[in-house]
Amino acid sequence: MSANDVVLLESTLERERSKTASKLPVTDFHTFFVARQYLKAYSPNHDDLLSGLVDGEKDCGIDGIYIFVDSLCIRDDEPVTRLGRRANLDLIILQVKNSSGFTENAIDKLIVNLPKLLDFGRDEETLAKFVNPKLIEATRRFLETYKNLDLPQLRIFVAFGSLKATHLHPQTQVKASELESVLLGTFGGCEPSVQFLGAGEICSLVRENPPTIRRLNLAENPISTDTAGGYVGVVRLDDYEAFITGSAGDLDAGLFEANVRDYEGETAVNRSIQQTLEQAESDIDFWWLNNGVTIVASRVQPANKMLELESPQIVNGLQTSTEIYKRKKRSANDRDARSVLVKVIEAPDDAIRDRIIRATNSQTTFGPSVLRATDLVQRRIEEYLLGKNLFYERRRRYYFNKQYPVDRIVSIDSMGQSVLSVTVQTPHVARKNAGRVFDDDVYNLVFHPEHPLAAYHACTQLLQASRDFLSAYRKKISVEDFQYQLAMLLGIALARRQEPTMRDLAKIEDAEVRTSLAKELFSIIQEEYDHSSRMTGIYLLDQLAKDADVTKRILERGRGYLRSSSRSDGV
């Protein structure tokens, strides 16, 4: 490491913050930036990265905390139970400081606090006296995930980032070994790792760009037709497993058009695939019994028994791919000579890509998120929001990878949460489980093709206005615990409707949210949280924010506020 690394990193941080996240507080941006580099192998999107920021009062020495199961970022309360035995469960803990060295005190904090935070028998009411709400919720989610999975392989990574550090004191490394021992004492079967990221190491991470070119080795030369860009071939199971596996040995989530959560688990179809993989018959190849997978890429270059793919995405075959990846965990067999059928299509045009995804998944129960992105209503929302200088990520990481400003990117999850809060008036669902938006009953309600496009802009603007207002209180509260309830009340107040429809909301898409109005409505939520705490004994705000009964009472108060304000206005 050298002093030049410090200068280069400072320049990079200043440039990146100005370009992509100028509204984030500087300390949050530093953690966001380091997390983005450190977690590249997991392909997180901007929502994933922002959700892990826990810096502030009572943070126990933790600035960022992230949970991944087989490369899926766990940031809501939906149980992850479908990934089978021996799934990879990774807990990543970050501390990022704009300092010139690593201190033993920073490690000591984690040595003391992590055993308390990661204790299945912990008392959360006691924890709340010295731990902030976001950190309590994140560690609870980790513990629940660990219990719900079937004998997961647990890895705990602790990384200390020091933006101006150029050296590491030997005694600090000794302390790191002590922290690893503490983690082993907490979870006997885990693989702990403590790393120190100085300016040089962080610069190296920045230079490591995820490969956009992937090579797929075929068992034989592929078959192609007169139509350029389409190939059919068979790939040895081991070679295909290598293609879908990341550098850390995990299933590479970045290859899948669908969310890895779309894996359906122990269904009859998947058990059949498992049995076929486990029963290696010398006279029957795997691809004879399986529909195979479909891959699209922006460019395909053949070279004998190999295809060079630029920005490949597996758009059909998540179930087959996951079972092939998992088979090595179930069996220690030597190289498997069988093959899987693979279709590879060059599709640089977005519309063609959508047609391929629709067609290749029309006969399957493929997870919903990949199909939702191709819906006409999703494309229309994207086009409309572009006119408002907002970038709608109907496809995961599309604008994030292009380095667009984070505060101008709106994900499908976030849009669903805003509509659930403002017009469906279920902010507790939005807070608890963002993934619910893909369920048929919810999706068809939220993303109905007859809804006016201006209403989607209004909903996301109301949610953003809530976040902006609450950011002034971020050192005392978790913004997530209030933003959805506040957006709901703002929708009622500005549309002047007890149950505003999407057409009502379309009329207020550019309405200004007065600070005085937000403050009045915020006080309603606080009062109802306080009342519910006294009545139920629940003191953790995230649990109140996810409670349907609390929403019902806040909704009644909001409607009462509307009635009283209407009378005072002579309406």
Side-chain angles (χ1 to χ4, degrees):
M1 293 183 282
S2 71
N4 281 337
D5 290 323
V6 175
V7 176
L8 288 172
L9 182 57
E10 285 181 340
S11 175
T12 300
L13 287 167
E14 183 178 345
R15 182 173 60 253
E16 288 297 312
R17 181 164 184 258
S18 173
K19 180 180 178 182
T20 65
S22 60
K23 291 188 177 181
L24 271 183
V26 174
T27 54
D28 280 353
F29 173 72
H30 288 163
T31 304
F32 176 87
F33 179 85
V34 172
R36 183 173 186 171
Q37 311 310 320
Y38 188 70
L39 302 175
K40 277 180 181 175
Y42 299 97
S43 299
N45 66 9
H46 71 289
D47 284 342
D48 297 333
L49 294 172
L50 291 171
S51 71
L53 302 180
V54 296
D55 182 29
E57 294 181 1
K58 301 190 289 187
D59 63 17
C60 298
I62 298 173
D63 298 325
I65 182 166
Y66 300 91
I67 308 158
F68 290 91
V69 178
D70 284 352
S71 296
L72 169 66
C73 184
I74 308 300
R75 55 183 175 85
D76 64 23
D77 291 349
E78 180 182 349
V80 181
T81 58
R82 300 177 298 186
L83 298 179
R85 292 172 65 89
R86 309 298 289 167
N88 289 325
L89 171 60
D90 293 346
L91 175 65
I92 296 95
I93 295 168
L94 299 178
Q95 184 192 93
V96 180
K97 302 301 178 189
N98 189 21
S99 59
S100 58
F102 302 98
T103 66
E104 294 178 39
N105 182 56
I107 305 174
D108 285 333
K109 280 187 177 181
L110 295 189
I111 289 174
V112 171
N113 290 315
L114 284 181
K116 299 175 184 176
L117 291 169
L118 304 181
D119 180 3
F120 284 115
R122 68 189 198 170
D123 181 342
E124 292 195 346
E125 188 175 339
T126 300
L127 278 182
K129 297 175 182 177
F130 66 93
V131 182
N132 73 42
K134 286 196 70 172
L135 187 52
I136 289 177
E137 182 184 11
T139 49
R140 182 202 306 136
R141 185 169 292 134
F142 163 73
L143 293 171
E144 290 299 320
T145 301
Y146 196 178
K147 286 193 292 187
N148 286 331
L149 291 172
D150 188 1
L151 298 175
Q153 294 179 303
L154 174 61
R155 298 180 295 190
I156 302 178
F157 300 91
V158 180
F160 295 92
S162 183
L163 304 180
K164 296 178 181 177
T166 58
H167 67 280
L168 178 64
H169 194 280
Q171 188 58 35
T172 306
Q173 189 64 63
V174 172
K175 278 286 184 181
S177 298
E178 186 179 340
L179 176 55
E180 289 183 354
S181 297
V182 167
L183 293 172
L184 276 171
T186 305
F187 296 105
C190 78
E191 298 176 28
S193 172
V194 178
Q195 296 173 275
F196 296 93
L197 307 174
E201 287 80 9
I202 296 172
C203 284
S204 295
L205 290 173
V206 173
R207 297 184 189 105
E208 290 178 6
N209 292 318
T212 58
I213 303 295
R214 303 286 287 258
R215 291 177 175 80
L216 181 65
N217 294 316
L218 306 175
E220 299 293 342
N221 288 328
I223 299 172
S224 61
T225 63
D226 292 338
T227 303
Y231 302 88
V232 178
V234 291
V235 179
R236 301 290 186 198
L237 293 180
D238 284 348
D239 289 332
Y240 185 72
E241 181 189 357
F243 178 75
I244 62 176
T245 301
S247 57
D250 300 318
L251 191 67
D252 188 348
L255 280 174
F256 293 92
E257 183 79 28
N259 191 317
V260 178
R261 198 190 288 273
D262 289 337
Y263 172 66
E264 294 171 354
E266 294 295 315
T267 63
V269 171
N270 285 343
R271 283 195 296 271
S272 177
I273 296 174
Q274 291 172 16
Q275 291 169 3
T276 304
L277 288 167
E278 290 168 358
Q279 298 168 2
E281 302 174 66
S282 58
D283 56 341
I284 299 179
D285 205 335
F286 176 75
W287 72 268
W288 300 359
L289 309 173
N290 183 272
N291 291 331
V293 301
T294 302
I295 303 173
V296 297
S298 57
R299 184 182 65 82
V300 181
Q301 181 64 46
N304 296 323
K305 296 181 181 181
M306 185 268 289
L307 294 176
E308 187 176 83
L309 313 179
E310 183 174 327
S311 302
Q313 286 281 292
I314 297 168
V315 299
N316 181 272
L318 174 62
Q319 313 304 320
T320 294
S321 299
T322 305
E323 294 302 337
I324 290 174
Y325 168 76
K326 287 166 54 183
R327 85 193 202 285
K328 282 294 181 67
K329 296 183 178 183
R330 297 190 296 262
S331 171
N333 290 340
D334 294 333
R335 180 175 173 84
D336 195 330
R338 293 176 297 169
S339 302
V340 61
L341 180 67
V342 178
K343 291 191 296 183
V344 179
I345 304 168
E346 185 174 273
D349 183 84
D350 210 37
I352 294 174
R353 184 193 196 97
D354 283 350
R355 288 187 62 189
I356 293 168
I357 293 170
R358 275 281 171 193
T360 56
N361 288 285
S362 61
Q363 301 300 318
T364 73
T365 56
F366 196 77
S369 64
V370 63
L371 297 179
R372 301 309 194 192
T374 68
D375 284 352
L376 179 59
V377 65
Q378 298 295 341
R379 295 201 297 272
R380 285 175 171 169
I381 293 172
E382 182 182 21
E383 291 167 1
Y384 186 84
L385 291 187
L386 279 174
K388 301 291 184 178
N389 196 29
L390 293 173
F391 308 101
Y392 184 55
E393 280 199 331
R394 62 188 180 94
R395 285 216 174 85
R396 179 178 169 83
R397 292 174 57 91
Y398 180 79
Y399 290 107
F400 184 57
N401 284 342
K402 293 177 178 289
Q403 300 280 301
Y404 281 70
V406 171
D407 60 286
R408 309 302 298 175
I409 298 174
V410 181
S411 65
I412 284 185
D413 283 356
S414 179
M415 179 62 78
Q417 288 170 307
S418 69
V419 178
L420 280 173
S421 301
V422 177
T423 188
V424 185
Q425 296 185 327
T426 54
H428 54 284
V429 177
R431 177 67 176 90
K432 184 175 183 179
N433 184 3
R436 275 280 282 141
V437 72
F438 291 119
D439 294 350
D440 285 341
D441 59 332
V442 177
Y443 182 86
N444 295 327
L445 185 65
V446 170
F447 293 110
H448 196 283
E450 296 302 318
H451 289 334
L453 296 174
Y456 291 105
H457 181 232
C459 286
T460 196
Q461 289 300 95
L462 289 174
L463 183 57
Q464 186 59 54
S466 299
R467 290 170 178 156
D468 291 344
F469 169 78
L470 293 167
S471 64
Y473 301 87
R474 60 180 293 276
K475 290 189 176 181
K476 296 182 178 180
I477 65 167
S478 172
V479 171
E480 289 81 359
D481 293 335
F482 291 90
Q483 63 182 5
Y484 303 112
Q485 305 279 9
L486 182 55
M488 176 182 72
L489 295 185
L490 286 172
I492 291 172
L494 293 175
R496 304 188 73 78
R497 292 285 189 273
Q498 293 189 14
E499 298 180 16
T501 65
M502 291 292 273
R503 294 195 180 279
D504 293 328
L505 294 167
K507 298 173 184 177
I508 64 162
E509 68 166 322
D510 294 315
E512 181 182 353
V513 176
R514 291 178 288 106
T515 300
S516 58
L517 173 63
K519 193 170 184 178
E520 283 185 81
L521 299 177
F522 177 44
S523 67
I524 289 175
I525 302 170
Q526 288 179 306
E527 289 168 10
E528 287 305 318
Y529 279 7
D530 289 342
H531 173 75
S532 295
S533 292
R534 291 192 301 271
M535 297 299 293
T536 64
I538 298 173
Y539 295 94
L540 294 171
L541 296 184
D542 75 286
Q543 294 180 334
L544 295 172
K546 299 168 187 173
D547 191 311
D549 289 334
V550 174
T551 291
K552 183 179 179 181
R553 287 191 290 273
I554 292 173
L555 193 53
E556 290 172 355
R557 289 284 305 277
R559 291 168 178 171
Y561 175 88
L562 176 62
R563 288 191 295 269
S564 63
S565 62
S566 296
R567 285 194 296 270
S568 65
D569 291 342
V571 179

